[in-house]
mmCIF file with all atom_site columns, all heavy atoms in Angstrom:
data_model
loop_
_atom_site.group_PDB
_atom_site.id
_atom_site.type_symbol
_atom_site.label_atom_id
_atom_site.label_alt_id
_atom_site.label_comp_id
_atom_site.label_asym_id
_atom_site.label_entity_id
_atom_site.label_seq_id
_atom_site.pdbx_PDB_ins_code
_atom_site.Cartn_x
_atom_site.Cartn_y
_atom_site.Cartn_z
_atom_site.occupancy
_atom_site.B_iso_or_equiv
_atom_site.pdbx_formal_charge
_atom_site.auth_seq_id
_atom_site.auth_comp_id
_atom_site.auth_asym_id
_atom_site.auth_atom_id
_atom_site.pdbx_PDB_model_num
ATOM 1   N N   . ALA A 1 167 ? 170.079 126.726 124.273 1.00 0.00 ? 167 ALA A N   1
ATOM 2   C CA  . ALA A 1 167 ? 168.880 126.580 125.121 1.00 0.00 ? 167 ALA A CA  1
ATOM 3   C C   . ALA A 1 167 ? 169.240 126.144 126.537 1.00 0.00 ? 167 ALA A C   1
ATOM 4   O O   . ALA A 1 167 ? 168.405 125.613 127.258 1.00 0.00 ? 167 ALA A O   1
ATOM 5   C CB  . ALA A 1 167 ? 167.864 125.622 124.491 1.00 0.00 ? 167 ALA A CB  1
ATOM 6   N N   . LEU A 1 168 ? 170.484 126.369 126.942 1.00 0.00 ? 168 LEU A N   1
ATOM 7   C CA  . LEU A 1 168 ? 170.909 126.100 128.311 1.00 0.00 ? 168 LEU A CA  1
ATOM 8   C C   . LEU A 1 168 ? 170.759 127.370 129.130 1.00 0.00 ? 168 LEU A C   1
ATOM 9   O O   . LEU A 1 168 ? 170.997 128.469 128.617 1.00 0.00 ? 168 LEU A O   1
ATOM 10  C CB  . LEU A 1 168 ? 172.379 125.662 128.347 1.00 0.00 ? 168 LEU A CB  1
ATOM 11  C CG  . LEU A 1 168 ? 172.735 124.330 127.700 1.00 0.00 ? 168 LEU A CG  1
ATOM 12  C CD1 . LEU A 1 168 ? 174.246 124.146 127.677 1.00 0.00 ? 168 LEU A CD1 1
ATOM 13  C CD2 . LEU A 1 168 ? 172.071 123.184 128.438 1.00 0.00 ? 168 LEU A CD2 1
ATOM 14  N N   . PRO A 1 169 ? 170.427 127.248 130.408 1.00 0.00 ? 169 PRO A N   1
ATOM 15  C CA  . PRO A 1 169 ? 170.383 128.439 131.254 1.00 0.00 ? 169 PRO A CA  1
ATOM 16  C C   . PRO A 1 169 ? 171.783 129.055 131.394 1.00 0.00 ? 169 PRO A C   1
ATOM 17  O O   . PRO A 1 169 ? 172.790 128.340 131.356 1.00 0.00 ? 169 PRO A O   1
ATOM 18  C CB  . PRO A 1 169 ? 169.891 127.907 132.608 1.00 0.00 ? 169 PRO A CB  1
ATOM 19  C CG  . PRO A 1 169 ? 169.337 126.559 132.334 1.00 0.00 ? 169 PRO A CG  1
ATOM 20  C CD  . PRO A 1 169 ? 170.016 126.037 131.116 1.00 0.00 ? 169 PRO A CD  1
ATOM 21  N N   . ALA A 1 170 ? 171.840 130.358 131.591 1.00 0.00 ? 170 ALA A N   1
ATOM 22  C CA  . ALA A 1 170 ? 173.122 131.052 131.732 1.00 0.00 ? 170 ALA A CA  1
ATOM 23  C C   . ALA A 1 170 ? 173.948 130.460 132.867 1.00 0.00 ? 170 ALA A C   1
ATOM 24  O O   . ALA A 1 170 ? 175.174 130.303 132.736 1.00 0.00 ? 170 ALA A O   1
ATOM 25  C CB  . ALA A 1 170 ? 172.888 132.545 131.959 1.00 0.00 ? 170 ALA A CB  1
ATOM 26  N N   . GLY A 1 171 ? 173.314 130.100 133.973 1.00 0.00 ? 171 GLY A N   1
ATOM 27  C CA  . GLY A 1 171 ? 174.037 129.508 135.099 1.00 0.00 ? 171 GLY A CA  1
ATOM 28  C C   . GLY A 1 171 ? 174.700 128.190 134.739 1.00 0.00 ? 171 GLY A C   1
ATOM 29  O O   . GLY A 1 171 ? 175.815 127.897 135.177 1.00 0.00 ? 171 GLY A O   1
ATOM 30  N N   . THR A 1 172 ? 174.022 127.391 133.928 1.00 0.00 ? 172 THR A N   1
ATOM 31  C CA  . THR A 1 172 ? 174.589 126.120 133.484 1.00 0.00 ? 172 THR A CA  1
ATOM 32  C C   . THR A 1 172 ? 175.794 126.364 132.597 1.00 0.00 ? 172 THR A C   1
ATOM 33  O O   . THR A 1 172 ? 176.824 125.690 132.716 1.00 0.00 ? 172 THR A O   1
ATOM 34  C CB  . THR A 1 172 ? 173.521 125.295 132.727 1.00 0.00 ? 172 THR A CB  1
ATOM 35  O OG1 . THR A 1 172 ? 172.444 125.030 133.628 1.00 0.00 ? 172 THR A OG1 1
ATOM 36  C CG2 . THR A 1 172 ? 174.082 123.992 132.198 1.00 0.00 ? 172 THR A CG2 1
ATOM 37  N N   . ILE A 1 173 ? 175.684 127.338 131.712 1.00 0.00 ? 173 ILE A N   1
ATOM 38  C CA  . ILE A 1 173 ? 176.801 127.672 130.825 1.00 0.00 ? 173 ILE A CA  1
ATOM 39  C C   . ILE A 1 173 ? 177.990 128.141 131.651 1.00 0.00 ? 173 ILE A C   1
ATOM 40  O O   . ILE A 1 173 ? 179.129 127.686 131.456 1.00 0.00 ? 173 ILE A O   1
ATOM 41  C CB  . ILE A 1 173 ? 176.379 128.745 129.804 1.00 0.00 ? 173 ILE A CB  1
ATOM 42  C CG1 . ILE A 1 173 ? 175.334 128.161 128.852 1.00 0.00 ? 173 ILE A CG1 1
ATOM 43  C CG2 . ILE A 1 173 ? 177.595 129.276 129.036 1.00 0.00 ? 173 ILE A CG2 1
ATOM 44  C CD1 . ILE A 1 173 ? 174.605 129.189 128.022 1.00 0.00 ? 173 ILE A CD1 1
ATOM 45  N N   . LYS A 1 174 ? 177.748 129.038 132.608 1.00 0.00 ? 174 LYS A N   1
ATOM 46  C CA  . LYS A 1 174 ? 178.832 129.530 133.463 1.00 0.00 ? 174 LYS A CA  1
ATOM 47  C C   . LYS A 1 174 ? 179.467 128.390 134.239 1.00 0.00 ? 174 LYS A C   1
ATOM 48  O O   . LYS A 1 174 ? 180.685 128.327 134.398 1.00 0.00 ? 174 LYS A O   1
ATOM 49  C CB  . LYS A 1 174 ? 178.299 130.595 134.420 1.00 0.00 ? 174 LYS A CB  1
ATOM 50  C CG  . LYS A 1 174 ? 177.933 131.893 133.736 1.00 0.00 ? 174 LYS A CG  1
ATOM 51  C CD  . LYS A 1 174 ? 177.367 132.873 134.748 1.00 0.00 ? 174 LYS A CD  1
ATOM 52  C CE  . LYS A 1 174 ? 176.903 134.149 134.075 1.00 0.00 ? 174 LYS A CE  1
ATOM 53  N NZ  . LYS A 1 174 ? 176.365 135.119 135.046 1.00 0.00 ? 174 LYS A NZ  1
ATOM 54  N N   . SER A 1 175 ? 178.631 127.473 134.734 1.00 0.00 ? 175 SER A N   1
ATOM 55  C CA  . SER A 1 175 ? 179.141 126.335 135.481 1.00 0.00 ? 175 SER A CA  1
ATOM 56  C C   . SER A 1 175 ? 180.051 125.467 134.609 1.00 0.00 ? 175 SER A C   1
ATOM 57  O O   . SER A 1 175 ? 181.147 125.088 135.023 1.00 0.00 ? 175 SER A O   1
ATOM 58  C CB  . SER A 1 175 ? 177.971 125.504 136.006 1.00 0.00 ? 175 SER A CB  1
ATOM 59  O OG  . SER A 1 175 ? 178.434 124.339 136.639 1.00 0.00 ? 175 SER A OG  1
ATOM 60  N N   . HIS A 1 176 ? 179.586 125.151 133.403 1.00 0.00 ? 176 HIS A N   1
ATOM 61  C CA  . HIS A 1 176 ? 180.406 124.340 132.489 1.00 0.00 ? 176 HIS A CA  1
ATOM 62  C C   . HIS A 1 176 ? 181.708 125.053 132.144 1.00 0.00 ? 176 HIS A C   1
ATOM 63  O O   . HIS A 1 176 ? 182.771 124.434 132.112 1.00 0.00 ? 176 HIS A O   1
ATOM 64  C CB  . HIS A 1 176 ? 179.634 124.019 131.207 1.00 0.00 ? 176 HIS A CB  1
ATOM 65  C CG  . HIS A 1 176 ? 178.661 122.895 131.353 1.00 0.00 ? 176 HIS A CG  1
ATOM 66  N ND1 . HIS A 1 176 ? 179.009 121.630 131.763 1.00 0.00 ? 176 HIS A ND1 1
ATOM 67  C CD2 . HIS A 1 176 ? 177.327 122.845 131.124 1.00 0.00 ? 176 HIS A CD2 1
ATOM 68  C CE1 . HIS A 1 176 ? 177.958 120.855 131.780 1.00 0.00 ? 176 HIS A CE1 1
ATOM 69  N NE2 . HIS A 1 176 ? 176.910 121.566 131.400 1.00 0.00 ? 176 HIS A NE2 1
ATOM 70  N N   . LEU A 1 177 ? 181.638 126.345 131.868 1.00 0.00 ? 177 LEU A N   1
ATOM 71  C CA  . LEU A 1 177 ? 182.856 127.096 131.538 1.00 0.00 ? 177 LEU A CA  1
ATOM 72  C C   . LEU A 1 177 ? 183.816 127.103 132.723 1.00 0.00 ? 177 LEU A C   1
ATOM 73  O O   . LEU A 1 177 ? 185.024 126.890 132.559 1.00 0.00 ? 177 LEU A O   1
ATOM 74  C CB  . LEU A 1 177 ? 182.509 128.529 131.115 1.00 0.00 ? 177 LEU A CB  1
ATOM 75  C CG  . LEU A 1 177 ? 181.850 128.682 129.751 1.00 0.00 ? 177 LEU A CG  1
ATOM 76  C CD1 . LEU A 1 177 ? 181.366 130.120 129.549 1.00 0.00 ? 177 LEU A CD1 1
ATOM 77  C CD2 . LEU A 1 177 ? 182.795 128.273 128.625 1.00 0.00 ? 177 LEU A CD2 1
ATOM 78  N N   . TYR A 1 178 ? 183.296 127.329 133.898 1.00 0.00 ? 178 TYR A N   1
ATOM 79  C CA  . TYR A 1 178 ? 184.128 127.374 135.097 1.00 0.00 ? 178 TYR A CA  1
ATOM 80  C C   . TYR A 1 178 ? 184.789 126.017 135.342 1.00 0.00 ? 178 TYR A C   1
ATOM 81  O O   . TYR A 1 178 ? 186.004 125.922 135.536 1.00 0.00 ? 178 TYR A O   1
ATOM 82  C CB  . TYR A 1 178 ? 183.265 127.790 136.292 1.00 0.00 ? 178 TYR A CB  1
ATOM 83  C CG  . TYR A 1 178 ? 184.026 127.836 137.595 1.00 0.00 ? 178 TYR A CG  1
ATOM 84  C CD1 . TYR A 1 178 ? 184.932 128.858 137.853 1.00 0.00 ? 178 TYR A CD1 1
ATOM 85  C CD2 . TYR A 1 178 ? 183.829 126.858 138.563 1.00 0.00 ? 178 TYR A CD2 1
ATOM 86  C CE1 . TYR A 1 178 ? 185.629 128.911 139.054 1.00 0.00 ? 178 TYR A CE1 1
ATOM 87  C CE2 . TYR A 1 178 ? 184.518 126.902 139.764 1.00 0.00 ? 178 TYR A CE2 1
ATOM 88  C CZ  . TYR A 1 178 ? 185.413 127.927 140.001 1.00 0.00 ? 178 TYR A CZ  1
ATOM 89  O OH  . TYR A 1 178 ? 186.106 127.971 141.186 1.00 0.00 ? 178 TYR A OH  1
ATOM 90  N N   . ARG A 1 179 ? 183.972 124.942 135.321 1.00 0.00 ? 179 ARG A N   1
ATOM 91  C CA  . ARG A 1 179 ? 184.518 123.607 135.575 1.00 0.00 ? 179 ARG A CA  1
ATOM 92  C C   . ARG A 1 179 ? 185.500 123.179 134.490 1.00 0.00 ? 179 ARG A C   1
ATOM 93  O O   . ARG A 1 179 ? 186.507 122.533 134.774 1.00 0.00 ? 179 ARG A O   1
ATOM 94  C CB  . ARG A 1 179 ? 183.393 122.593 135.707 1.00 0.00 ? 179 ARG A CB  1
ATOM 95  C CG  . ARG A 1 179 ? 182.697 122.705 137.068 1.00 0.00 ? 179 ARG A CG  1
ATOM 96  C CD  . ARG A 1 179 ? 181.656 121.650 137.244 1.00 0.00 ? 179 ARG A CD  1
ATOM 97  N NE  . ARG A 1 179 ? 180.426 122.133 136.618 1.00 0.00 ? 179 ARG A NE  1
ATOM 98  C CZ  . ARG A 1 179 ? 179.410 121.372 136.275 1.00 0.00 ? 179 ARG A CZ  1
ATOM 99  N NH1 . ARG A 1 179 ? 179.457 120.082 136.469 1.00 0.00 ? 179 ARG A NH1 1
ATOM 100 N NH2 . ARG A 1 179 ? 178.338 121.881 135.738 1.00 0.00 ? 179 ARG A NH2 1
ATOM 101 N N   . SER A 1 180 ? 185.219 123.555 133.235 1.00 0.00 ? 180 SER A N   1
ATOM 102 C CA  . SER A 1 180 ? 186.143 123.168 132.167 1.00 0.00 ? 180 SER A CA  1
ATOM 103 C C   . SER A 1 180 ? 187.464 123.914 132.295 1.00 0.00 ? 180 SER A C   1
ATOM 104 O O   . SER A 1 180 ? 188.531 123.353 132.048 1.00 0.00 ? 180 SER A O   1
ATOM 105 C CB  . SER A 1 180 ? 185.516 123.394 130.795 1.00 0.00 ? 180 SER A CB  1
ATOM 106 O OG  . SER A 1 180 ? 185.202 124.746 130.596 1.00 0.00 ? 180 SER A OG  1
ATOM 107 N N   . ARG A 1 181 ? 187.433 125.165 132.738 1.00 0.00 ? 181 ARG A N   1
ATOM 108 C CA  . ARG A 1 181 ? 188.673 125.916 132.949 1.00 0.00 ? 181 ARG A CA  1
ATOM 109 C C   . ARG A 1 181 ? 189.481 125.314 134.100 1.00 0.00 ? 181 ARG A C   1
ATOM 110 O O   . ARG A 1 181 ? 190.696 125.205 134.018 1.00 0.00 ? 181 ARG A O   1
ATOM 111 C CB  . ARG A 1 181 ? 188.364 127.388 133.234 1.00 0.00 ? 181 ARG A CB  1
ATOM 112 C CG  . ARG A 1 181 ? 187.968 128.135 132.007 1.00 0.00 ? 181 ARG A CG  1
ATOM 113 C CD  . ARG A 1 181 ? 187.399 129.481 132.426 1.00 0.00 ? 181 ARG A CD  1
ATOM 114 N NE  . ARG A 1 181 ? 187.160 130.304 131.268 1.00 0.00 ? 181 ARG A NE  1
ATOM 115 C CZ  . ARG A 1 181 ? 188.065 131.100 130.740 1.00 0.00 ? 181 ARG A CZ  1
ATOM 116 N NH1 . ARG A 1 181 ? 189.256 131.196 131.254 1.00 0.00 ? 181 ARG A NH1 1
ATOM 117 N NH2 . ARG A 1 181 ? 187.764 131.807 129.677 1.00 0.00 ? 181 ARG A NH2 1
ATOM 118 N N   . LEU A 1 182 ? 188.802 124.914 135.172 1.00 0.00 ? 182 LEU A N   1
ATOM 119 C CA  . LEU A 1 182 ? 189.509 124.258 136.274 1.00 0.00 ? 182 LEU A CA  1
ATOM 120 C C   . LEU A 1 182 ? 190.159 122.966 135.797 1.00 0.00 ? 182 LEU A C   1
ATOM 121 O O   . LEU A 1 182 ? 191.313 122.671 136.126 1.00 0.00 ? 182 LEU A O   1
ATOM 122 C CB  . LEU A 1 182 ? 188.554 123.952 137.429 1.00 0.00 ? 182 LEU A CB  1
ATOM 123 C CG  . LEU A 1 182 ? 188.048 125.134 138.251 1.00 0.00 ? 182 LEU A CG  1
ATOM 124 C CD1 . LEU A 1 182 ? 187.063 124.653 139.318 1.00 0.00 ? 182 LEU A CD1 1
ATOM 125 C CD2 . LEU A 1 182 ? 189.198 125.894 138.888 1.00 0.00 ? 182 LEU A CD2 1
ATOM 126 N N   . ARG A 1 183 ? 189.406 122.188 135.016 1.00 0.00 ? 183 ARG A N   1
ATOM 127 C CA  . ARG A 1 183 ? 189.938 120.927 134.495 1.00 0.00 ? 183 ARG A CA  1
ATOM 128 C C   . ARG A 1 183 ? 191.110 121.179 133.559 1.00 0.00 ? 183 ARG A C   1
ATOM 129 O O   . ARG A 1 183 ? 192.125 120.466 133.622 1.00 0.00 ? 183 ARG A O   1
ATOM 130 C CB  . ARG A 1 183 ? 188.820 120.158 133.779 1.00 0.00 ? 183 ARG A CB  1
ATOM 131 C CG  . ARG A 1 183 ? 189.242 118.823 133.239 1.00 0.00 ? 183 ARG A CG  1
ATOM 132 C CD  . ARG A 1 183 ? 189.539 117.844 134.364 1.00 0.00 ? 183 ARG A CD  1
ATOM 133 N NE  . ARG A 1 183 ? 189.902 116.568 133.776 1.00 0.00 ? 183 ARG A NE  1
ATOM 134 C CZ  . ARG A 1 183 ? 190.941 115.851 134.155 1.00 0.00 ? 183 ARG A CZ  1
ATOM 135 N NH1 . ARG A 1 183 ? 191.702 116.235 135.150 1.00 0.00 ? 183 ARG A NH1 1
ATOM 136 N NH2 . ARG A 1 183 ? 191.219 114.711 133.566 1.00 0.00 ? 183 ARG A NH2 1
ATOM 137 N N   . LEU A 1 184 ? 191.011 122.195 132.712 1.00 0.00 ? 184 LEU A N   1
ATOM 138 C CA  . LEU A 1 184 ? 192.128 122.516 131.815 1.00 0.00 ? 184 LEU A CA  1
ATOM 139 C C   . LEU A 1 184 ? 193.360 122.907 132.614 1.00 0.00 ? 184 LEU A C   1
ATOM 140 O O   . LEU A 1 184 ? 194.478 122.483 132.296 1.00 0.00 ? 184 LEU A O   1
ATOM 141 C CB  . LEU A 1 184 ? 191.742 123.649 130.858 1.00 0.00 ? 184 LEU A CB  1
ATOM 142 C CG  . LEU A 1 184 ? 190.812 123.285 129.726 1.00 0.00 ? 184 LEU A CG  1
ATOM 143 C CD1 . LEU A 1 184 ? 190.455 124.529 128.919 1.00 0.00 ? 184 LEU A CD1 1
ATOM 144 C CD2 . LEU A 1 184 ? 191.423 122.220 128.824 1.00 0.00 ? 184 LEU A CD2 1
ATOM 145 N N   . ARG A 1 185 ? 193.156 123.711 133.634 1.00 0.00 ? 185 ARG A N   1
ATOM 146 C CA  . ARG A 1 185 ? 194.297 124.123 134.466 1.00 0.00 ? 185 ARG A CA  1
ATOM 147 C C   . ARG A 1 185 ? 194.961 122.894 135.084 1.00 0.00 ? 185 ARG A C   1
ATOM 148 O O   . ARG A 1 185 ? 196.176 122.753 135.067 1.00 0.00 ? 185 ARG A O   1
ATOM 149 C CB  . ARG A 1 185 ? 193.849 125.092 135.551 1.00 0.00 ? 185 ARG A CB  1
ATOM 150 C CG  . ARG A 1 185 ? 195.026 125.650 136.352 1.00 0.00 ? 185 ARG A CG  1
ATOM 151 C CD  . ARG A 1 185 ? 194.602 126.658 137.397 1.00 0.00 ? 185 ARG A CD  1
ATOM 152 N NE  . ARG A 1 185 ? 194.101 127.853 136.761 1.00 0.00 ? 185 ARG A NE  1
ATOM 153 C CZ  . ARG A 1 185 ? 192.908 128.399 137.013 1.00 0.00 ? 185 ARG A CZ  1
ATOM 154 N NH1 . ARG A 1 185 ? 192.092 127.837 137.884 1.00 0.00 ? 185 ARG A NH1 1
ATOM 155 N NH2 . ARG A 1 185 ? 192.523 129.495 136.410 1.00 0.00 ? 185 ARG A NH2 1
ATOM 156 N N   . GLU A 1 186 ? 194.142 121.957 135.611 1.00 0.00 ? 186 GLU A N   1
ATOM 157 C CA  . GLU A 1 186 ? 194.674 120.714 136.177 1.00 0.00 ? 186 GLU A CA  1
ATOM 158 C C   . GLU A 1 186 ? 195.491 119.949 135.147 1.00 0.00 ? 186 GLU A C   1
ATOM 159 O O   . GLU A 1 186 ? 196.602 119.512 135.422 1.00 0.00 ? 186 GLU A O   1
ATOM 160 C CB  . GLU A 1 186 ? 193.511 119.799 136.573 1.00 0.00 ? 186 GLU A CB  1
ATOM 161 C CG  . GLU A 1 186 ? 193.058 119.855 137.980 1.00 0.00 ? 186 GLU A CG  1
ATOM 162 C CD  . GLU A 1 186 ? 191.828 118.945 138.147 1.00 0.00 ? 186 GLU A CD  1
ATOM 163 O OE1 . GLU A 1 186 ? 191.744 117.868 137.510 1.00 0.00 ? 186 GLU A OE1 1
ATOM 164 O OE2 . GLU A 1 186 ? 190.944 119.335 138.913 1.00 0.00 ? 186 GLU A OE2 1
ATOM 165 N N   . LEU A 1 187 ? 194.906 119.764 133.970 1.00 0.00 ? 187 LEU A N   1
ATOM 166 C CA  . LEU A 1 187 ? 195.573 118.988 132.923 1.00 0.00 ? 187 LEU A CA  1
ATOM 167 C C   . LEU A 1 187 ? 196.858 119.650 132.457 1.00 0.00 ? 187 LEU A C   1
ATOM 168 O O   . LEU A 1 187 ? 197.846 118.968 132.172 1.00 0.00 ? 187 LEU A O   1
ATOM 169 C CB  . LEU A 1 187 ? 194.624 118.787 131.727 1.00 0.00 ? 187 LEU A CB  1
ATOM 170 C CG  . LEU A 1 187 ? 193.414 117.888 131.979 1.00 0.00 ? 187 LEU A CG  1
ATOM 171 C CD1 . LEU A 1 187 ? 192.432 117.995 130.823 1.00 0.00 ? 187 LEU A CD1 1
ATOM 172 C CD2 . LEU A 1 187 ? 193.852 116.448 132.186 1.00 0.00 ? 187 LEU A CD2 1
#
Side-chain angles (χ1 to χ4, degrees):
L168 294 173
T172 299
I173 293 166
K174 290 178 184 181
S175 175
H176 280 303
L177 288 171
Y178 179 73
R179 284 184 276 162
S180 61
R181 285 168 173 272
L182 289 178
R183 182 68 178 133
L184 285 176
R185 186 178 292 126
E186 265 176 36
L187 292 169

